Amino acid sequence: MLEMGGHCKESLTDVKEANSEKKLFEVLFDYIKPCMEKDFPTYNIMEHFKISGEPYGVFVDSRGEFIAKEQNILYGDSNITLVVKPYDIVRIYLKHISHAQLKIGENAIVILYKFDKSTFEIIKGNDNKLIVRDNIK
């Protein structure tokens, strides 16, 4: 299936060698840019990781409030609040129709990548340290 997406040999090897969900999500974040460019993994693949991906920053149709990980991705119809601790540096990838409410701590830096019809809002903190990448191709 991955070969059909035109993924590089290194990423295919890394996926095949991932022996846990945690390792699989690490591979996802290692190759996040080419994956997003190819719209991979698809929602149909990611929906198998509902709930189980949340401890690793992978949110699929998730609801609730979570402490932001170093890297986070919201798939499907996720609507969550991400709490970014003071002085943290985090990346957030928004896909499909996901919505993130951000509570940004003092001196934190947030790099946010928006895809599809995803949205976000800051409900605590300010946008002085928010870098938004929109319309990624």
Side-chain angles (χ1 to χ4, degrees):
M1 175 174 53
L2 290 173
E3 288 90 347
M4 292 169 41
H7 291 272
C8 64
K9 184 180 264 187
E10 294 82 15
S11 66
L12 295 173
T13 300
D14 288 351
V15 166
K16 289 175 185 171
E17 292 177 357
N19 56 6
S20 67
E21 282 187 352
K22 179 182 180 189
K23 289 286 188 192
L24 190 60
F25 297 137
E26 287 172 4
V27 172
L28 170 65
F29 286 121
D30 285 347
Y31 295 97
I32 193 80
K33 188 174 186 316
C35 284
M36 294 292 103
E37 289 172 349
K38 296 175 186 287
D39 197 24
F40 189 86
T42 64
Y43 173 79
N44 290 339
I45 292 170
M46 292 307 295
E47 72 179 332
H48 297 285
F49 299 102
K50 286 182 185 179
I51 310 292
S52 67
E54 291 175 357
Y56 309 107
V58 178
F59 303 95
V60 182
D61 295 334
S62 297
R63 300 286 187 270
E65 182 171 300
F66 302 90
I67 302 295
K69 303 293 184 199
E70 185 177 336
Q71 297 196 82
N72 308 269
I73 187 164
L74 283 67
Y75 273 92
D77 187 23
S78 291
N79 189 343
I80 67 172
T81 300
L82 280 175
V83 178
V84 181
K85 295 181 192 173
Y87 298 95
D88 274 2
I89 300 172
V90 302
R91 293 180 188 273
I92 302 169
Y93 303 88
L94 301 174
K95 290 278 296 165
H96 307 118
I97 58 171
S98 292
H99 178 75
Q101 297 176 322
L102 305 174
K103 292 182 178 178
I104 303 173
E106 179 182 9
N107 296 312
I109 298 173
V110 176
I111 304 165
L112 190 134
Y113 300 85
K114 283 178 53 13
F115 297 88
D116 309 318
K117 295 180 181 180
S118 59
T119 57
F120 72 95
E121 65 182 304
I122 299 170
I123 59 174
K124 181 181 175 209
N126 60 52
D127 63 358
N128 290 341
K129 302 287 184 173
L130 176 67
I131 300 164
V132 179
R133 297 285 318 268
D134 199 355
N135 298 319
I136 309 296
K137 293 289 178 200

